[in-house]
Structure formats: C-alpha cells, structure tokens
Amino acid sequence: MQDDRQRPQPARRQNGMSRRALENGFSTISVLILMLLMAIGVGFLIFFPRSKQSVIEKRELTTFPSFSFASYFSGEFTAGVTKWYDDTVPYRDDFKNMGNNIKGLFGVTTNDTAIIIGKPVKPVKNNSSSGEPEASKSDTTSKSDTSTASQSEETSEKDQKDFRQEEAEGGYENGMLIINQDGHWRGLELFGNGSGNNYASSLNELNKQLGGKVKVYSMPAPLASEFYTPANFADYSASQEDCFNNIASKLDEGITSVNISSVLRKHTEEPIYCRTDHHWQALGAYYASEAFAKAAGVDFADISKYKKVDTEGYVGTLYAFSGDSRLLNDPETFTYYEPSAKYTTYYYDQSFNYQGSWALLNEVDVANSYLRYMGGDSYVVKVKTAVNNGRKLVVIKDSYGNAEIPFYTSSFEEIYVVDVRYFERNLVNFIKTVGATDVLFTMSAYSVVGDNADNIANLITQDSSSTIVDEQVAKKEESTD
C-alpha cells in the first residue's frame, strides 16, 4: 500500500507559485505608483507657479537670489536658491491650512514656529478734509453705535468678570497658550516679566533733555494674558500691572505714568482684545486713550460719537504663531471706529520725508485688518485736526499704539506718530521741531521690557547734528507765496 504522505501534491505547489507571482505583481504596481506620485510631485514643484506671499504668516516670501560669481563661490547663491525653493512652495498657505487641520484632528503639535513680519499697505489717497474712508464690502456698520457706550457706563464702576479665577481647557502650541473661554478659542502670549530699567532710564534722559518744556507720559499696554490667563495656567505668566508699577517708580517726577491695567480690568467682558491676534481691539485702545486724555487734561469724545464698523471672519497673528487650527476655525469680529471729527492725515517715510496726504483708516482685506490703522508701522504720520487748543502730541509707539490714534483726533491740535523700532531721526530734535507740548510713550508690555525699549536710547542720540524740516509745511508755504 502506498504511503499517502509520499504522494505528490501538484495542485498545492501550483497554488504557491500563483501566490508568489501575485505578490511580485503587487510589488511592481506599488513601485510604479510610487514613481508616478514622485513624478507628479516633482512636476508640481517645477511647473506650478511659486507662491510669493503668505497671508497666514503675513509676510512676503523669499525672492530668488541675484547671481554673482562672488556669491556663487562663497555658497551664498546656492543657499539662497535652496531657501527660495523651500519657502515658495506652490499653494503654500493652502497646504499649511490643510496640515494644521489634520494636526488639529489628531492632536499633533509641531515646533515649527511661523515668522511674522507685518506687511504695510499704502494708504489710500485722501482728497477730503476729514480723511474718512468708506467701509469695505466685508464690513458692516453696527445697528447701535451707542450700545457699547451705554454698556461701559453701566459697568465702569466695578471690575467685571475675573477670568483669572476660573480654569479653562487648553494647552501650549509653539509657545502660545490656546484656551477655550466663554465658548470660543483664544490665543494668549504669556508675559515673563522684566525690569524695564532701560525704558525708564531712556524716558528720564529724554525728559532731562527737553528741560521740562514738554510734558512726557508713559502708558504701557498690557497683553491680553493679564486679564484672560486661566487659574490652571497662572504660574506661567507674570503680573504686568506690578511690572508697570515698578517701572513707574523709576521714572522722574516730571513724567506722568498712566497704568491702564486697572482701567481695562473694568471691561473684561467686553471685546477689548482680539482672540486670534496679539493686539487689542479698538475698544481696548479707546479705554486706554480715554485714560490718557484724562491724565493730559484734554477733551475726549465719547465713543458714541464714532461710527462703529465690524469686519467679520478675522483670524490674526496668533494662528500664524501657533499653527493651531482651533483658532483658524473660530474666526472673530474685528471692530474699528471712524471719527466724526474733522482732520487731515499726512504721511512721511521713517526719515521724515513727506510722501503725501492719505486716509488715516485704510482699505485692507480681512486677513490684514489691524493694518487698517495708518497702513501699518512703516510710516511717520501727522494728523492735523480741527481742535484749537494749542496742544501738539508726539506718540512714540509699537503696533499697539496704532489703534489709539483715531481717538486723539478730538483732543489735540496736531498728532505726530513715530514707531520706536523704525524712526531714523533724532527724537529730541524732532519733538522740538514740530513744537510738541506732549509726548506719549505707548507700547506693549513686551516692548517696555525688551529690545524695543532699548532702542529709545538710540532715538535720543542718533542723527543729533542734522536739521529736521517738515516738507509738508515747507511745500504749503511755497504754494502760498
């Protein structure tokens, strides 16, 4: 009898050969698909137009470097090409949004921090005496311009809700605190404290050089974290009010310190800060400006005298900083206020060369809403108003101060605006040349304890021997001769 175990099994061997052939076929197909995808990717990068601007990151992308033999042999040219190639991927913002949304779904974080460089906009030509732009199509005028004023009157006697006493869902993304508060997501920059010694000493030196003939004011602007950091994250952000009080104690007696932290604390339930941007809203700037006007002893128009305009769908810099899709998917309303006061706005470059007369509030797209104020930080601005009180104000600021300027149009005869980071003339000579009676330092908490404050000393010493001329005034005088 034949042993069954020795019988040949051709069918089983045949099936095994078919399986191997099938596996080889799948491998070949996989390689071909991979090669096809790689070819599509290479073609996409080569033939599709390169991105030139990032709306999310609010900056111009890297440009293709200029060739020279020196830059080629030094490696600078090839490094520049590599940077350009990496930075200008076609549809960069679309892919960034897609990636952030996917990360948001799976709770994935990244250490890739976006670089934010505010891109100025050229102000719109202004042919009217008031300098008022019309609202863009994306803007809607509030039905009740006096509702905010009424609310502030009812709540100004006592502090509003203290969000610092409550806990909130949230976490850190690229150094930003992202929290869920009152049904919305909010981004917060945390404050690490600082001495403010350079800020105080520079203001004291300026006050000394002005010889007491000009009144100097210090009004630092707290970050939103001063009022909205939840109790379960409180240990990571220092008190800005205490920091400001410490700086005030170092200022000479001739300098008036305006600590607006206590003022803003009375309005925490109102939209005084952006949720998706590191700046305050115009309403917060209004309350700060009101406090300064009171300290300066000048008239100040109630907010009911302004035209309130809402821009829907705003997502600001904190999304770009953090890359957190929860901010992207929870846009906010950006609100600004158009003055009813008559005024004309003149623009200069950072060396105080006259550029032209344009609007104070400019037309911008929703993504750049904060650039509505004077087109950003790249200009020196002069505002001549219908006020006749002999008071001329020079504002030394960072971007926080931009939102304050419209609220001073009913308080000062002339307003001059210079950015602490970019001004190229001697500050002492400038103040004397324009005949300023008041000088206001208003900048964020980061600026008063950081490098921006360090630059004030440079403003006081730089370009000290040159003569400053207001070309706008000179041209006007020539035209009347």
Side-chain angles (χ1 to χ4, degrees):
M1 179 180 290
Q2 187 175 2
D3 188 349
D4 290 339
R5 290 176 296 180
Q6 303 300 319
R7 293 176 182 175
Q9 300 179 13
R12 186 175 299 175
R13 288 196 299 270
Q14 194 173 36
N15 288 342
M17 292 176 63
S18 298
R19 190 180 303 114
R20 285 194 296 271
L22 187 61
E23 290 174 351
N24 291 336
F26 278 134
S27 298
T28 302
I29 293 173
S30 298
V31 171
L32 291 175
I33 292 175
L34 181 60
M35 293 177 63
L36 178 62
L37 291 175
M38 291 178 63
I40 292 173
V42 171
F44 174 79
L45 293 174
I46 293 176
F47 297 109
F48 277 71
R50 312 294 298 189
S51 299
K52 296 181 179 180
Q53 183 184 33
S54 173
V55 175
I56 292 176
E57 299 178 27
K58 302 188 187 302
R59 68 180 178 97
E60 298 291 336
L61 300 178
T62 303
T63 57
F64 194 85
S66 300
F67 176 82
S68 69
F69 286 107
S71 65
Y72 177 79
F73 287 111
S74 69
E76 181 180 346
F77 176 76
T78 53
V81 172
T82 301
K83 183 177 180 182
W84 168 82
Y85 189 81
D86 291 340
D87 200 39
T88 60
V89 173
Y91 304 104
R92 175 189 177 91
D93 279 0
D94 294 320
F95 282 110
K96 192 175 182 69
N97 278 334
M98 184 187 305
N100 287 331
N101 281 322
I102 292 173
K103 287 185 291 182
L105 290 174
F106 293 96
V108 179
T109 61
T110 176
N111 291 323
D112 183 19
T113 303
I115 301 173
I116 308 300
I117 303 176
K119 179 179 181 289
V121 298
K122 184 173 182 179
V124 180
K125 272 287 184 181
N126 170 32
N127 297 319
S128 66
S129 61
S130 64
E132 295 299 326
E134 293 186 7
S136 65
K137 293 181 180 180
S138 63
D139 299 341
T140 56
T141 303
S142 171
K143 296 181 180 179
S144 175
D145 295 337
T146 60
S147 60
T148 303
S150 300
Q151 183 182 10
S152 66
E153 290 174 2
E154 294 173 0
T155 59
S156 61
E157 297 302 320
K158 60 184 180 65
D159 291 359
Q160 292 194 5
K161 183 177 180 180
D162 190 349
F163 291 90
R164 301 171 304 170
Q165 302 300 317
E166 301 180 352
E167 294 190 353
E169 172 193 0
Y172 295 98
E173 293 289 344
N174 294 329
M176 303 290 107
L177 178 59
I178 310 299
I179 59 172
N180 192 298
Q181 213 166 54
D182 279 359
H184 288 285
W185 290 100
R186 177 189 291 276
L188 293 173
E189 293 180 301
L190 301 180
F191 182 66
N193 215 337
S195 67
N197 287 338
N198 291 344
Y199 175 83
S201 61
S202 294
L203 266 62
N204 289 339
E205 177 61 25
L206 177 66
N207 187 55
K208 178 182 177 181
Q209 293 199 30
L210 294 175
K213 297 179 180 179
V214 179
K215 187 63 178 176
V216 179
Y217 302 84
S218 170
M219 188 174 73
L223 310 172
S225 55
E226 176 73 355
F227 312 104
Y228 299 103
T229 301
N232 48 322
F233 295 99
D235 292 341
Y236 297 92
S237 190
S239 169
Q240 294 165 60
E241 184 170 14
D242 290 346
C243 176
F244 298 162
N245 285 333
N246 180 49
I247 292 173
S249 69
K250 302 172 184 177
L251 297 174
D252 291 344
E253 290 184 2
I255 300 176
T256 299
S257 181
V258 184
N259 193 333
I260 56 176
S261 296
S262 60
V263 173
L264 294 174
R265 191 165 287 114
K266 299 180 185 298
H267 304 282
T268 54
E269 294 179 56
E270 302 170 45
I272 56 175
Y273 282 89
C274 296
R275 291 187 296 101
T276 69
D277 194 279
H278 68 285
H279 296 103
W280 51 14
Q281 287 270 16
L283 186 58
Y286 166 80
Y287 290 127
S289 303
E290 183 181 38
F292 166 64
K294 183 178 180 180
V298 293
D299 293 335
F300 189 77
D302 187 82
I303 202 167
S304 62
K305 304 298 183 182
Y306 292 76
K307 178 183 177 183
K308 179 184 178 184
V309 184
D310 293 328
T311 301
E312 304 295 342
Y314 178 58
V315 177
T317 55
L318 291 179
Y319 165 61
F321 283 145
S322 67
D324 194 298
S325 60
R326 293 171 294 187
L327 294 179
L328 175 66
N329 296 324
D330 191 9
E332 61 185 313
T333 301
F334 184 90
T335 302
Y336 65 96
Y337 295 84
E338 296 179 357
S340 59
K342 298 294 182 180
Y343 62 89
T344 306
T345 310
Y346 304 97
Y347 285 80
Y348 304 74
D349 65 17
Q350 295 300 334
S351 294
F352 201 52
N353 298 309
Y354 180 56
Q355 304 295 298
S357 177
W358 304 321
L360 178 63
L361 297 171
N362 292 273
E363 291 301 316
V364 295
D365 56 31
V366 176
N368 290 302
S369 290
Y370 200 81
L371 294 181
R372 184 175 295 276
Y373 307 114
M374 303 176 294
D377 301 315
S378 63
Y379 303 99
V380 176
V381 178
K382 176 174 70 175
V383 183
K384 291 182 67 68
T385 74
V387 177
N388 188 25
N389 61 2
R391 303 285 290 272
K392 297 183 179 182
L393 173 68
V394 171
V395 180
I396 297 97
K397 55 81 185 179
D398 61 8
S399 58
Y400 259 66
N402 296 0
E404 299 173 33
I405 306 306
F407 299 117
Y408 297 140
T409 54
S410 62
S411 303
F412 292 89
E413 195 169 301
E414 291 182 1
I415 306 159
Y416 295 83
V417 187
V418 301
D419 196 286
V420 69
R421 299 162 292 183
Y422 309 123
F423 191 51
E424 297 177 355
R425 305 307 301 270
N426 182 270
L427 184 57
V428 178
N429 292 347
F430 179 79
I431 291 170
K432 293 179 178 179
T433 298
V434 302
T437 58
D438 304 87
V439 174
L440 170 65
F441 286 84
T442 178
M443 55 194 74
S444 74
Y446 278 154
S447 287
V448 297
V449 299
D451 293 341
N452 291 339
D454 298 344
N455 197 46
I456 299 174
N458 296 331
L459 300 184
I460 296 172
T461 58
Q462 69 185 8
D463 191 39
S464 59
S465 61
S466 65
T467 301
I468 296 177
V469 177
D470 187 337
E471 295 175 354
Q472 183 271 323
V473 174
K475 289 180 179 180
K476 183 178 180 181
E477 291 175 346
E478 288 177 2
S479 64
T480 56
D481 289 342

